[in-house]
Amino acid sequence: MMKKLLMILLIILPFLAQLVVLPFVNRIDPIILGLPFLQFWLFLWIVLTPFCTFGIYQLQKSQGGLD
């Protein structure tokens, strides 16, 4: 049950972070690593999304779902 909930969270999290949260992070300040906050947020999730995908893969592999 807990693994299934974690998998659903890992599936939904990148979509929420890149689409639903955008109106709340749509601002210029603060400048992080020379990027406006919105661009930094999007770049951050472009980097984090493969980690979510890898987590989903590992969960499915541990459940034997990759036959």
Side-chain angles (χ1 to χ4, degrees), residues 3 6-8 10-11 49-67:
K3 286 185 179 183
L6 181 60
M7 189 178 310
I8 291 171
L10 287 173
I11 291 170
T49 298
F51 289 106
C52 292
T53 305
F54 182 71
I56 294 165
Y57 169 75
Q58 290 296 325
L59 285 171
Q60 286 184 338
K61 186 176 171 183
S62 71
Q63 292 175 349
L66 297 173
D67 294 333

Side-chain angles (χ1 to χ4, degrees), residues 5-44:
L5 184 63
L6 181 60
M7 189 178 310
I8 291 171
L9 179 68
L10 287 173
I11 291 170
I12 293 174
L13 188 63
F15 291 106
L16 291 177
Q18 292 181 20
L19 297 175
V20 176
V21 180
L22 278 185
F24 303 106
V25 297
N26 187 10
R27 57 180 180 241
I28 295 173
D29 293 324
I31 302 291
I32 302 173
L33 300 175
L35 296 171
F37 187 71
L38 177 62
Q39 288 178 336
F40 173 77
W41 180 262
L42 291 173
F43 179 73
L44 176 70

